Amino acid sequence: MSGLEETLDPQDWEALRALSHRIIDEAIEYTRDVRDRPLWQAMPKEVREVLNSPLPQDPKPLDEVYDLLSKNVMAYPMGNTHPRFWMWYMGSSNFTGALGDFLAAVQGSNLGGGNHAASLVDQQVVDWCKQMLGFPETASGTLVSGGSMANIIGLTVARNQMADADVRTEGVGALDRPLRFYGSDQLHSCHQIAVESLGLGSKSLRKIRSHPDCTIDIESLKFAITEDRAAGFNPACVIATAGTVNTGAIDDLQAIKALCQRENMWFHVDGCIGALIAIAPGNKSRVSGIELADSIALDPHKWLHAPFEVGCALIRDRDAHYGAFTLTPEFLEMTERGIASAHWLHDFGLQTSRGFRALKVWMALQEHGVQKFGRLIDQNIAQAHYLSELICKTAGLELTMETSINIVCYRFDPGQTSEEDLKRINTEIMLQMQETGVAAISDTTVHGRHCLRAAINNHRTVATDLAFLVSETLRLGNAIVNASSLFSH
Ligand SMILES: *Cc1c(COP(=O)(O)O)cnc(C)c1O
């Protein structure tokens, strides 16, 4: 070679510096002014064309690339960082976290493990998650892409521990008695995907009826376990939900713990929504008992508002966790000194290479302290109750479900309208709000009744936003009814 080697580094570092400063400036404004832009807007044809162009063969200056991105991507977000985004269930991000993702990429370390500072930060964030939930210091855990993966990690350990054969070696085909997992009919869909991926089949997951408040009916659960045991199944695990996705219902964690103890079953908690209520001073008693679980899935990209992605699985029995995933090929053997002289973090999950997703959580927790995050959770719960009161006071709106934590289920109901028409009107309200970019809510069906659903997991929402949601629902509902003879009554 002759000194003509190529590299991805720039030739002009000063030009890169200038552009990077501009990008940061614009990113700060983008975040500061999020309230002033439409929450969402449909993408025009030209944008779709740009984002469907073929593989670039030739170079472009980076500022042209940035302009393309700025015009075609940054202008068309999903909307979840906006103060009036209450759709599905996600966090609203934070700028410190974005800096964390940037710096994680700048350092570029691989969190498969090794003896370097990022590994310690990763482990420290896992330890902080344990502390937030009151989980024992001796427990283990791992940061993953999100709640779905965190649940898969927990359920994999549960399967291996509860199986009557060595599943890692023999596979599920060697089981004498098929495993059974239990959760309520409000369970998140990721659990079915989990048991399917674990080779157990969707029938291995029994959905137990929930009470009118959407918490699991423990008597029905007991009955199902007894019935399955008599039929030759192996009742292995109860999946309790702390904060269901439809309505925010929190299962009776203490009662489920007691049941699991009596039945010698694994107690897993899907705490993707509610686990972090444990840090909220005004509401933490709602999730007491979570610290008794064998495994927990939680989701820092929800109520800690970390930018996507970061979830966390915590497992009480460290050996069981390690035993489910460890496999060290020769090229990854530990050395006594140097970069490989530490336990591999990949031994606690499915990924070998792992990103430095811990840093965005670490930075925001350092900056604000956990108490502020706790207060923000209390704030969202108080806002949901405030919104519920407004709805109850407003003629033409109906609260369809008593509000538990931060999810409000309601609908526009002008009276004397069929269920079918109500569903059509309310769906139209939801879509018009999204399309005009003023607010985003979703819809769902709870115990057979269709409703609108506002999930207030947002550190930017203020009370006037909620008053606006109420008046806008009413305004759109009346306009839709008046404009359409279909909905005449
Ligand atoms: C969000 C959620 C999940 C899935 O988490 P992701 O981070 O989206 O993968 C699982 N369970 C519940 C109750 C959730 O709310």
Side-chain angles (χ1 to χ4, degrees), residues 89 146-149 151 188 190 241 243 245 270 272-273 299 301-302:
Y89 200 98
S148 305
M149 276 306 299
N151 279 309
H188 190 277
C190 73
T241 303
V245 75
D270 179 348
C272 289
I273 287 178
D299 230 357
H301 64 206
K302 289 180 176 168

Side-chain angles (χ1 to χ4, degrees), residues 72-185:
N72 297 288
V73 181
M74 297 306 280
Y76 300 96
M78 175 184 252
N80 53 294
T81 67
H82 192 280
R84 286 190 297 274
F85 186 94
W86 306 300
M87 205 173 166
W88 303 308
Y89 200 98
M90 49 187 95
S92 41
S93 199
N94 73 95
F95 197 78
T96 300
L99 290 175
D101 261 355
F102 171 69
L103 291 170
V106 170
Q107 195 192 54
S109 295
N110 187 330
L111 272 291
N115 183 11
H116 52 97
S119 284
L120 298 185
V121 172
D122 184 290
Q123 286 306 280
Q124 190 174 26
V125 169
V126 170
D127 282 341
W128 289 350
C129 287
K130 290 188 251 173
Q131 289 166 29
M132 285 190 273
L133 271 52
F135 218 50
E137 215 177 301
T138 50
S140 76
T142 184
L143 299 179
V144 291
S145 56
S148 305
M149 276 306 299
N151 279 309
I152 286 196
I153 298 286
L155 298 187
T156 303
V157 182
R159 178 198 63 181
N160 293 7
Q161 289 297 110
M162 303 309 294
D164 55 18
D166 176 356
V167 174
R168 281 198 67 176
T169 312
E170 308 292 338
V172 290
L175 296 176
D176 261 347
R177 291 175 307 143
L179 294 164
R180 277 279 192 267
F181 288 61
Y182 306 83
S184 82
D185 55 16

Side-chain angles (χ1 to χ4, degrees), residues 209-260:
R209 65 181 283 267
S210 56
H211 291 298
D213 70 359
C214 289
T215 61
I216 192 168
D217 178 345
I218 306 257
E219 288 309 311
S220 300
L221 173 60
K222 283 182 192 160
F223 181 83
I225 291 169
T226 307
E227 185 181 65
D228 281 349
R229 226 184 262 295
F233 292 105
N234 178 5
C237 170
V238 180
I239 305 166
T241 303
T244 58
V245 75
N246 265 335
T247 67
I250 298 171
D251 288 338
D252 185 340
L253 303 178
Q254 317 259 11
I256 293 172
K257 165 69 188 176
L259 177 63
C260 286

